[in-house]
Amino acid sequence: MKIGLLGFGTVGSGVYEIVKSTSTCFFDDIEVKKILVKDEKDKVMDIITTDAEEILNDKEIDLVVEVMGGIHPAYEYIMKALKNKKSVVTANKAVVAAYLKEFTKTAYENGVSFEYEASVCGGIPWIKSLEKVKRIDEVTEVYGIFNGTSNFILDNMTKEGYEFQEILKKAQEKGYAESDPSADIDGIDIMRKLLITSSLAFECEVPEKEIDVFGIRNIQKTDIEYFKNIKCTVKLIAAGKKYEDKYCAVVEPVIFKNERIEAAVPQNFNIGTIYGKTIGELKFYGQGAGKLPTGNAIVQDIIDIIEVKGKLKERKFENKLTKDSSLVSGKYYIRINNEEFEKENSDIIEKKLENSGNLIYITKKIDCYTMRKTAEKYIKEGIFYARFED
Ligand code: HSE
């Protein structure tokens, strides 16, 4: 099988390295024929081009790997490749989250595959495992730590006592966080991964605007100290639940008791959990980012496409589910130094505490949407909240 790579950054070069250096029998027939780069100065090998058409119109290329990132022109290139009857493998969660249904349908209509294992939890076989569980079970719940940067920040604040800004800077130095780290710390990256996961798990379209998102930008050392004192650990969690014809998908910090597996996930690792009726609870742990783990997930998709040899999967997103935020409810920890907050929200407050000069509120059991709406007005004032896991 001849492959065209759209993009030759960290992930693209990881794919190339794995294909070049692996000699198991699965690689006898895989060849990278052409690679697209943006700049002329990056044309360091004969197979490198700056013209996408050389790949998209090459009749010998059966499979295109899209690892450019961003929505445009990734969307146009993927659509053109599929319409030209080339299978597509991508790691680009932004474009997959925005066009999952359209790509899936176009691939099926053109008799080719569209695979995106690497777009969620990097090297962890997450999408394929989810699909395997669904061969027998209805999946009613998925959740996990799907963002390595936020986990690196929270883990180092917990274990090493860093303040948020200090450890964010270290995450950027290590190349985990982007120079504009909003997607990681405001929960956008993890929200996209949740959108893809929930759509597949519950076989429905999940509109981005229906996912309540609250990140970790406002967390402080004082919050971490409070959680440590009560023998808990906070993590940024993506959670999706389905019950009958209702569903809920939410991104928010969650407080786990220290004996829970999630509490122990270190550094920039990811973990994902799936619930199925007969299999019960399954957990998947590993590297959710990086050149070789993400490259590995892409190459596994390529091998799967070669192995199925035209026996296409028909993925559907036809369930009509309505959002019901009460599916994700609990007591919340809130830190906000504003007397107004207390007056305005006395109906949801169960307990008021003081911690190192900060006002802390523990709420009654409320749903995740009520919590996010309550916090909305106070984001700029530095409110931080997290849900206590039952
Ligand atoms: N910024 C992402 C993370 C990269 O930290 O998990 C992988 O999607």
Side-chain angles (χ1 to χ4, degrees):
M1 170 165 306
K2 291 195 176 18
I3 292 169
L5 279 185
L6 301 176
F8 202 44
T10 308
V11 178
S13 55
V15 171
Y16 186 75
E17 192 176 319
I18 292 172
V19 170
K20 280 278 167 203
S21 64
T22 314
S23 54
T24 66
C25 61
F26 294 101
F27 288 79
D28 293 348
D29 192 33
I30 300 179
E31 180 200 336
V32 176
K33 189 179 175 200
K34 275 179 203 154
I35 301 172
L36 176 74
V37 297
K38 250 196 259 163
D39 294 322
E40 286 291 327
K41 69 168 173 42
D42 294 327
K43 286 171 83 172
V44 290
M45 292 187 283
D46 286 348
I47 59 169
I48 294 185
T49 173
T50 50
D51 180 6
E53 300 302 319
E54 274 191 37
I55 292 175
L56 300 172
N57 292 325
D58 185 331
K59 292 223 161 24
E60 272 187 14
I61 290 179
D62 307 302
L63 189 149
V64 169
V65 173
E66 185 275 310
V67 278
M68 303 183 306
I71 306 267
H72 301 289
Y75 165 78
E76 288 77 13
Y77 290 174
I78 290 174
M79 286 301 282
K80 183 154 190 185
L82 294 172
K83 286 179 179 167
N84 283 353
K85 308 213 181 304
K86 301 180 193 307
S87 290
V88 172
V89 174
T90 180
N92 180 347
K93 60 221 153 223
V95 83
V96 177
Y99 297 103
L100 177 58
K101 195 174 169 188
E102 190 176 345
F103 291 153
T104 304
K105 189 166 164 276
T106 310
Y108 196 73
E109 284 168 0
N110 285 280
V112 290
S113 298
F114 174 66
E115 300 293 338
Y116 40 90
E117 178 65 76
S119 68
V120 184
C121 295
I124 301 175
W126 173 247
I127 302 283
K128 294 278 158 60
S129 302
L130 184 57
E131 291 191 317
K132 198 161 186 182
V133 170
K134 282 171 59 59
R135 296 200 294 206
I136 297 177
D137 282 335
E138 181 194 14
V139 171
T140 51
E141 187 173 355
V142 281
Y143 70 87
I145 299 167
F146 300 164
N147 180 269
T149 305
S150 59
N151 200 62
F152 176 83
I153 291 172
L154 295 175
D155 188 49
N156 279 282
M157 286 180 80
T158 304
K159 292 187 185 142
E160 310 294 336
Y162 283 105
E163 267 298 357
F164 179 79
Q165 287 301 338
E166 276 178 281
I167 193 63
L168 172 61
K169 200 160 160 269
K170 285 206 186 301
Q172 284 167 320
E173 281 161 16
K174 278 184 170 281
Y176 294 156
E178 307 296 326
S179 51
D180 171 8
S182 340
D184 293 310
I185 63 176
D186 293 331
I188 310 303
D189 173 82
I190 185 170
M191 178 275 290
R192 289 178 174 141
K193 294 166 178 167
L194 176 63
L195 189 156
I196 297 167
T197 298
S198 305
S199 305
L200 270 177
F202 310 145
E203 295 178 30
C204 64
E205 277 186 83
V206 177
E208 195 177 306
K209 62 176 175 3
E210 286 194 0
I211 304 182
D212 287 305
V213 180
F214 184 68
I216 58 164
R217 183 183 285 274
N218 286 351
I219 196 165
Q220 293 178 1
K221 209 166 159 173
T222 176
D223 304 314
I224 298 282
E225 276 160 9
Y226 179 85
F227 304 141
K228 279 171 91 166
N229 280 335
I230 58 168
K231 300 194 166 25
C232 289
T233 303
V234 70
K235 298 289 184 183
L236 184 62
I237 294 293
K241 272 193 187 177
K242 175 179 179 286
Y243 180 70
E244 295 177 342
D245 58 354
K246 310 258 174 29
Y247 89 103
C248 178
V250 58
V251 170
E252 60 188 2
V254 173
I255 305 158
F256 291 95
K257 295 204 174 83
N258 281 346
E259 54 269 26
R260 286 285 305 270
I261 293 172
E262 281 70 18
V265 172
Q267 300 298 318
N268 68 331
F269 280 84
N270 285 193
I271 192 166
T273 299
I274 303 172
Y275 276 98
K277 195 174 168 194
T278 65
I279 193 66
E281 179 190 75
L282 280 173
K283 287 194 187 285
F284 300 86
Y285 168 85
Q287 265 299 333
K291 176 177 166 173
L292 293 175
T294 310
N296 182 300
I298 288 175
V299 178
Q300 289 285 12
D301 272 349
I302 296 172
I303 295 171
D304 282 342
I305 290 172
I306 295 172
E307 293 284 288
V308 299
K309 292 189 181 75
K311 248 179 92 191
L312 294 178
K313 275 183 242 158
E314 193 182 0
R315 293 182 178 122
K316 288 195 172 143
F317 306 96
E318 307 295 336
N319 284 339
K320 298 275 172 263
L321 305 183
T322 47
K323 177 181 165 172
D324 179 354
S325 301
S326 70
L327 294 177
V328 181
S329 306
K331 293 188 175 192
Y332 283 82
Y333 161 101
I334 304 171
R335 176 189 40 74
I336 175 78
N337 290 322
N338 184 319
E339 300 288 348
E340 275 306 300
F341 178 84
E342 190 177 330
K343 277 189 218 138
E344 279 181 10
N345 297 292
S346 57
D347 55 327
I348 62 159
I349 295 171
E350 186 174 272
K351 228 190 315 185
K352 178 182 177 183
L353 307 162
E354 247 193 82
N355 180 33
S356 318
N358 290 297
L359 291 178
I360 310 277
Y361 301 97
I362 308 297
T363 69
K364 296 171 189 164
K365 188 170 175 181
I366 57 174
D367 68 73
C368 55
Y369 174 76
T370 304
M371 182 62 252
R372 190 185 62 74
K373 286 308 275 181
T374 304
E376 212 160 61
K377 207 173 132 185
Y378 297 93
I379 303 272
K380 290 232 157 62
E381 290 183 45
I383 193 169
F384 179 74
Y385 73 79
R387 174 167 52 84
F388 287 97
E389 175 71 356
D390 292 332

